[in-house]
Amino acid sequence: MDMKTQDQTAEDRAPEPPMDAIQANSRTLEREMDWLEAVLNQRMAMSFGQDSADEGEIELPLPDLSGDGSVFAQICHYYRFRMLERLVLALALAPHVRPQLLDIFFTRNSGIDRPFTEFGGLVGKQHGGFLPTGETAAFLVADRDLEMRIRLLQVFGPEHPFARFGILKLEPPPAEEPFLSGALLVTPDYQELFTLGNAAKPTYSSRFPAQRLQTSLSWEDLVLAPEVRHQVEVVRTWVERKGEIMSTWQASRTLKQGYRALFYGPPGTGKTLTASLIGKSAGKDVYLIDGSRVVSKWVGETEKNLARVFDMAEHKDWILFFDEADALFGKRGNSGASQERYGNQQVSYLLQRTENYPGTVILATNLRGNIDEAFMRRFQSTIYFPVPSVHERQRLWEKIFAGGLPLEEKVDLLQVARKFEVTGGSIVNVLKYCAIMAERRGNEEVMQEDIWEGVQRELRKEGKRV
C-alpha cells in the first residue's frame, strides 16, 4: 500500500475536527500562561538580575487572539483588553490553570530572611501554591514605577469591565491594610467560562445559601383572584420589559434598575409558584433564600453569607426570592441590647443591599406587619395572597387532580371546595396522600374517604377543628 508523502497538498489532508470548548480554551490559556511566564522572567531579570538598572514597562508581544474562538479570546476582544488587563487576568487565572508558575514568588529576601514585600501574595488553607494579590500585579506591571502603580488602580475601579461585569475582583483587605494587599480573584463564573466554556448554576451550600427555583407548571396552573392576578402582572411586566420601559419612557435618569415586591398571606396560597413563574416567563433564574435557614448566631456571619448571594447575582439579573423574610427583614428594636443592635445592623445591611440591587427582589411572609417599616416604604408592589374563594378552590381541586388518578364516581369536587377552606399547597398534599392510599389498596381510583381524610390531616396540621 502506497503511503502519502509528507509534502502532500492541503487538499489531500483530512480536515481537522472542530475543537470543542475545552480544547479551544486550553490551547488559548496555554499560550497566555507561556506569555505570563515570559513576562515574569523578564520582570525578575529587570528587578534583580543583570538588567536591574533598567526600569519601565514590560515589552513582550501579546499572544495573537485574532480568529481565536475560545471564551477567553472572545471576552478580551469584546472588552478591548490591553496588555495591562491581559496581564492582570492571566495572573489571576494562573493558580487555577498553572499554579507552579507562581512558585518563584516564594523566593526569600536573604538580607532580612523574609519574603519580598513587593511580591505580595497569600498562602491558602489547603492550596500549597502562591495566591496573587494586587501587590503581585503591581510588581509585574510597575515594579518601582509609581505612576504605573497608580494607573493600575483604575483596573480595579467600579467602572472598569472587571468590576462592572463581574469578571475579576480585588478582595477588600482587612481594615487599615493597603488596598492592593487584597486577594486577586477571577469570579467563579468566569473561571468556568474560561476553562469549561460555560458557567454552571450555583447550588446550595454553606457558602451560597440559596437554591434555584424551577417549575414545570405554567400561568394557566396558577389560580389567583382577579385583583391579585392584576397586581402580579404589573411585576411580571416590569421583569420582562424593564429595558424597554427604561429606554422608551426615558426613565433611566430618575428610576433605579431594581424592583422590590412583597408577597404576603397564608402558607400555600401561591407566593413561591408566582415568583417561579415570573422568572420562567422572563427567562431569568430565580434563587430562593430561606430566611429561617440563613440567619446565624455568629455576629456578621449572616451578612457575609448574604453578601455572596448578592455579589453573584449582581451581574446576572437574577430574581432573589426571600421566603420567611421576616426572619431577615423583621422590625428593628430600640432597647439598646447588644443582640438587638446586631439584629438592627443586619436589617440595615439588607436594606442597603436590596435598595442598590439592580434586579428584582421579592420578599414572602405570612404576616405583613412583621416586616420592618423601612422596607415597606421601598416596595414598588405589596400583594396579598388570600385563602382562595370557593370558586377558586374548585378550580384548584380540578387542576391539581386533572390527569392523575381517576376519581370515584361519587366524588364531588365542588362539594369538597365548599366544605373545606384549604389552600393550593394543602390540596397538593391531599393528592399525594390519595396516591399513597390508592397504591396501598392496589387500585388506580381516588376514593371520597381518601380526599376527606387527606383534607382533615391538613386542617389538623394547621390547628383547625375538623
Coordinates of all heavy atoms in Angstrom, one line a residue, residues 205-251:
S205 N -25.2 25.7 49.4 CA -24.1 25.3 50.2 C -24.0 26.3 51.4 O -24.7 27.3 51.4 CB -22.8 25.2 49.5 OG -22.3 26.5 49.1
S206 N -23.1 26.0 52.3 CA -22.9 26.9 53.4 C -22.3 28.2 52.9 O -22.5 29.3 53.6 CB -21.9 26.3 54.4 OG -20.7 26.0 53.8
R207 N -21.6 28.2 51.8 CA -21.1 29.5 51.2 C -22.1 30.2 50.3 O -21.9 31.3 49.9 CB -19.8 29.2 50.5 CG -18.6 28.8 51.4 CD -17.3 28.6 50.7 NE -17.0 29.7 49.9 CZ -16.3 30.8 50.4 NH1 -16.0 30.8 51.7 NH2 -16.0 31.8 49.6
F208 N -23.1 29.5 49.8 CA -24.0 30.0 48.9 C -25.4 29.6 49.4 O -26.0 28.6 48.9 CB -23.8 29.6 47.5 CG -24.7 30.2 46.5 CD1 -24.5 31.5 46.1 CD2 -25.8 29.5 46.0 CE1 -25.4 32.1 45.1 CE2 -26.7 30.1 45.1 CZ -26.5 31.4 44.6
P209 N -26.0 30.3 50.3 CA -27.3 29.9 51.0 C -28.5 30.2 50.2 O -29.4 30.9 50.6 CB -27.3 30.7 52.3 CG -26.6 32.0 51.9 CD -25.5 31.6 50.9
A210 N -28.5 29.8 48.9 CA -29.7 30.0 48.0 C -29.8 28.8 47.1 O -28.8 28.2 46.7 CB -29.5 31.3 47.3
Q211 N -31.0 28.5 46.7 CA -31.3 27.4 45.8 C -32.1 27.9 44.7 O -33.1 28.7 44.8 CB -31.9 26.2 46.5 CG -33.2 26.4 47.1 CD -33.7 25.2 47.9 OE1 -33.1 24.8 48.9 NE2 -34.8 24.6 47.4
R212 N -31.8 27.4 43.5 CA -32.6 27.8 42.3 C -34.0 27.2 42.3 O -34.2 26.0 42.5 CB -31.8 27.3 41.0 CG -32.3 27.9 39.7 CD -31.4 27.5 38.6 NE -31.9 27.8 37.3 CZ -31.8 27.0 36.3 NH1 -31.2 25.8 36.4 NH2 -32.4 27.4 35.1
L213 N -34.9 28.0 42.0 CA -36.3 27.6 41.9 C -36.7 27.3 40.4 O -36.4 28.1 39.6 CB -37.3 28.7 42.4 CG -37.5 28.9 43.9 CD1 -38.5 29.9 44.2 CD2 -37.9 27.6 44.6
Q214 N -37.3 26.2 40.2 CA -37.7 25.8 38.9 C -39.1 25.2 39.0 O -39.5 24.6 40.0 CB -36.8 24.8 38.2 CG -35.4 25.4 37.9 CD -34.5 24.4 37.2 OE1 -34.0 23.5 37.9 NE2 -34.3 24.5 35.9
T215 N -39.9 25.3 37.9 CA -41.3 24.7 37.9 C -41.6 24.2 36.6 O -41.2 24.9 35.5 CB -42.3 25.8 38.4 OG1 -43.6 25.1 38.4 CG2 -42.4 27.0 37.5
S216 N -42.3 23.1 36.5 CA -42.8 22.6 35.2 C -44.2 23.2 34.9 O -44.8 22.9 33.9 CB -42.9 21.1 35.3 OG -43.8 20.7 36.4
L217 N -44.8 24.0 35.9 CA -46.1 24.5 35.7 C -46.1 25.8 34.9 O -45.1 26.3 34.6 CB -46.8 24.8 37.1 CG -46.9 23.6 38.0 CD1 -47.5 24.0 39.4 CD2 -47.7 22.5 37.4
S218 N -47.3 26.2 34.5 CA -47.4 27.4 33.7 C -48.4 28.4 34.3 O -49.0 28.1 35.4 CB -47.9 27.1 32.3 OG -49.2 26.5 32.3
W219 N -48.6 29.5 33.7 CA -49.5 30.5 34.3 C -50.9 30.0 34.3 O -51.7 30.4 35.2 CB -49.5 31.8 33.5 CG -48.3 32.6 33.7 CD1 -47.2 32.8 32.8 CD2 -47.9 33.4 34.8 NE1 -46.2 33.6 33.3 CE2 -46.6 34.0 34.6 CE3 -48.5 33.7 36.0 CZ2 -46.0 34.8 35.5 CZ3 -47.9 34.5 37.0 CH2 -46.7 35.0 36.7
E220 N -51.3 29.1 33.4 CA -52.6 28.5 33.5 C -52.9 27.7 34.7 O -54.0 27.4 35.1 CB -52.9 27.7 32.2 CG -53.0 28.4 30.9 CD -51.7 29.1 30.5 OE1 -50.6 28.5 30.7 OE2 -51.7 30.2 29.9
D221 N -51.8 27.2 35.3 CA -51.9 26.3 36.5 C -52.1 27.2 37.8 O -52.4 26.6 38.8 CB -50.7 25.4 36.6 CG -50.6 24.4 35.5 OD1 -51.6 23.7 35.2 OD2 -49.6 24.4 34.8
L222 N -51.8 28.5 37.7 CA -51.8 29.3 38.9 C -53.2 29.9 39.0 O -53.7 30.6 38.1 CB -50.8 30.5 38.7 CG -50.7 31.4 39.9 CD1 -50.2 30.8 41.1 CD2 -49.8 32.6 39.5
V223 N -53.9 29.6 40.1 CA -55.2 30.1 40.4 C -55.1 31.2 41.4 O -54.8 31.0 42.6 CB -56.1 29.0 40.9 CG1 -57.5 29.5 41.2 CG2 -56.2 27.9 39.9
L224 N -55.5 32.5 40.9 CA -55.5 33.6 41.8 C -56.7 34.4 41.6 O -57.3 34.4 40.5 CB -54.3 34.5 41.5 CG -52.9 33.9 41.7 CD1 -51.8 34.9 41.2 CD2 -52.6 33.6 43.2
A225 N -57.1 35.2 42.6 CA -58.2 36.1 42.5 C -57.9 37.2 41.4 O -56.7 37.5 41.3 CB -58.5 36.8 43.8
P226 N -58.9 37.7 40.6 CA -58.6 38.6 39.6 C -57.7 39.8 40.0 O -56.8 40.2 39.3 CB -59.9 39.1 39.1 CG -60.8 37.9 39.4 CD -60.3 37.3 40.7
E227 N -58.0 40.4 41.2 CA -57.3 41.6 41.6 C -55.8 41.2 42.0 O -54.9 42.0 41.8 CB -58.0 42.2 42.8 CG -58.1 41.4 44.1 CD -59.3 40.5 44.1 OE1 -59.9 40.3 43.0 OE2 -59.7 40.0 45.2
V228 N -55.6 40.0 42.5 CA -54.3 39.6 42.8 C -53.5 39.3 41.5 O -52.3 39.7 41.3 CB -54.3 38.3 43.6 CG1 -52.8 37.8 43.9 CG2 -55.0 38.5 44.9
R229 N -54.2 38.7 40.5 CA -53.5 38.4 39.2 C -53.1 39.7 38.6 O -52.0 39.8 38.0 CB -54.5 37.7 38.3 CG -54.1 37.5 36.9 CD -53.1 36.4 36.7 NE -53.6 35.1 36.8 CZ -53.0 34.0 36.4 NH1 -51.8 34.1 35.8 NH2 -53.6 32.8 36.6
H230 N -53.9 40.8 38.7 CA -53.6 42.0 38.0 C -52.3 42.6 38.7 O -51.4 43.1 37.9 CB -54.7 43.0 38.2 CG -54.4 44.4 37.8 ND1 -54.2 44.8 36.5 CD2 -54.1 45.6 38.5 CE1 -53.9 46.1 36.4 NE2 -53.8 46.6 37.6
Q231 N -52.2 42.5 40.0 CA -51.0 43.1 40.6 C -49.8 42.3 40.3 O -48.7 42.8 40.1 CB -51.2 43.1 42.2 CG -52.3 44.0 42.6 CD -52.5 44.0 44.1 OE1 -51.6 44.5 44.9 NE2 -53.5 43.4 44.6
V232 N -49.9 41.0 40.2 CA -48.8 40.1 39.8 C -48.4 40.5 38.3 O -47.2 40.5 38.0 CB -49.2 38.6 39.9 CG1 -48.2 37.7 39.2 CG2 -49.4 38.2 41.3
E233 N -49.3 40.8 37.5 CA -49.0 41.1 36.1 C -48.2 42.4 36.0 O -47.4 42.6 35.1 CB -50.3 41.2 35.2 CG -51.0 39.9 34.9 CD -50.1 39.0 34.0 OE1 -49.3 39.5 33.2 OE2 -50.2 37.8 34.2
V234 N -48.4 43.3 36.9 CA -47.6 44.5 37.0 C -46.1 44.2 37.2 O -45.2 44.7 36.5 CB -48.1 45.5 38.1 CG1 -47.1 46.7 38.2 CG2 -49.5 46.0 37.7
V235 N -45.8 43.3 38.2 CA -44.5 42.9 38.5 C -43.9 42.1 37.3 O -42.8 42.3 36.9 CB -44.4 41.9 39.7 CG1 -43.0 41.5 40.1 CG2 -45.1 42.6 40.9
R236 N -44.7 41.2 36.7 CA -44.3 40.4 35.6 C -43.9 41.3 34.4 O -42.8 41.1 33.7 CB -45.4 39.5 35.2 CG -45.1 38.6 33.9 CD -46.3 37.8 33.5 NE -46.0 37.0 32.3 CZ -46.9 36.3 31.7 NH1 -48.2 36.2 32.2 NH2 -46.6 35.6 30.6
T237 N -44.7 42.4 34.1 CA -44.4 43.3 33.0 C -43.0 44.0 33.2 O -42.2 44.1 32.3 CB -45.5 44.3 32.9 OG1 -46.7 43.6 32.6 CG2 -45.2 45.3 31.7
W238 N -42.8 44.4 34.5 CA -41.5 45.1 34.7 C -40.3 44.1 34.5 O -39.4 44.5 33.8 CB -41.5 45.6 36.2 CG -40.1 46.2 36.5 CD1 -39.1 45.5 37.1 CD2 -39.6 47.5 36.2 NE1 -38.0 46.3 37.2 CE2 -38.2 47.5 36.7 CE3 -40.1 48.6 35.6 CZ2 -37.5 48.6 36.6 CZ3 -39.3 49.7 35.5 CH2 -38.0 49.7 36.0
V239 N -40.4 42.9 35.0 CA -39.3 42.0 34.9 C -39.1 41.6 33.5 O -37.9 41.5 33.0 CB -39.6 40.7 35.7 CG1 -38.5 39.7 35.5 CG2 -39.7 41.0 37.2
E240 N -40.1 41.4 32.7 CA -40.0 41.0 31.3 C -39.6 42.2 30.4 O -38.8 42.0 29.4 CB -41.3 40.4 30.8 CG -41.7 39.1 31.4 CD -42.9 38.5 30.8 OE1 -43.6 39.3 30.0 OE2 -43.3 37.4 31.1
R241 N -40.0 43.4 30.7 CA -39.8 44.5 29.8 C -39.1 45.7 30.4 O -39.3 46.9 30.0 CB -41.1 44.9 29.2 CG -41.9 43.7 28.6 CD -43.2 44.1 27.9 NE -43.0 44.9 26.8 CZ -43.9 45.4 26.0 NH1 -45.2 45.1 26.3 NH2 -43.7 46.2 25.0
K242 N -38.3 45.5 31.4 CA -37.6 46.6 32.1 C -36.8 47.4 31.1 O -36.8 48.7 31.2 CB -36.7 46.0 33.2 CG -35.9 47.1 33.9 CD -35.1 46.5 35.1 CE -34.0 45.6 34.6 NZ -33.1 45.1 35.7
G243 N -36.1 46.8 30.2 CA -35.2 47.5 29.3 C -36.0 48.5 28.4 O -35.6 49.6 28.2
E244 N -37.1 48.0 27.9 CA -38.0 48.8 27.0 C -38.6 50.0 27.8 O -38.6 51.1 27.4 CB -39.1 48.0 26.4 CG -38.6 47.0 25.4 CD -38.4 45.6 26.0 OE1 -37.9 45.6 27.2 OE2 -38.7 44.6 25.4
I245 N -39.0 49.7 29.1 CA -39.6 50.7 29.9 C -38.6 51.8 30.2 O -38.9 53.0 30.1 CB -40.1 50.1 31.2 CG1 -41.3 49.2 30.9 CG2 -40.6 51.2 32.2 CD1 -41.8 48.4 32.1
M246 N -37.4 51.4 30.6 CA -36.3 52.4 30.9 C -35.9 53.2 29.7 O -35.6 54.4 29.9 CB -35.1 51.7 31.5 CG -35.4 51.0 32.8 SD -35.7 52.1 34.2 CE -34.1 52.5 34.7
S247 N -35.9 52.6 28.5 CA -35.4 53.4 27.4 C -36.5 54.2 26.7 O -36.4 55.3 26.4 CB -34.8 52.4 26.4 OG -35.7 51.4 25.9
T248 N -37.7 53.5 26.5 CA -38.8 54.1 25.7 C -39.3 55.4 26.5 O -39.6 56.4 25.9 CB -39.9 53.1 25.5 OG1 -39.4 52.0 24.8 CG2 -41.1 53.8 24.7
W249 N -39.5 55.2 27.8 CA -40.1 56.3 28.6 C -39.0 57.2 29.2 O -39.3 58.0 30.1 CB -41.0 55.7 29.7 CG -42.1 54.9 29.0 CD1 -42.1 53.6 28.9 CD2 -43.3 55.4 28.5 NE1 -43.3 53.2 28.2 CE2 -44.0 54.3 28.0 CE3 -43.8 56.7 28.3 CZ2 -45.2 54.4 27.3 CZ3 -45.0 56.9 27.7 CH2 -45.7 55.7 27.2
Q250 N -37.8 57.0 28.8 CA -36.7 57.9 29.3 C -36.6 58.0 30.8 O -36.5 59.1 31.4 CB -36.8 59.3 28.6 CG -36.7 59.3 27.1 CD -36.8 60.7 26.5 OE1 -37.0 61.6 27.2 NE2 -36.5 60.8 25.2
A251 N -36.8 56.8 31.4 CA -36.9 56.8 32.8 C -35.6 56.5 33.5 O -35.5 56.5 34.8 CB -37.9 55.7 33.3

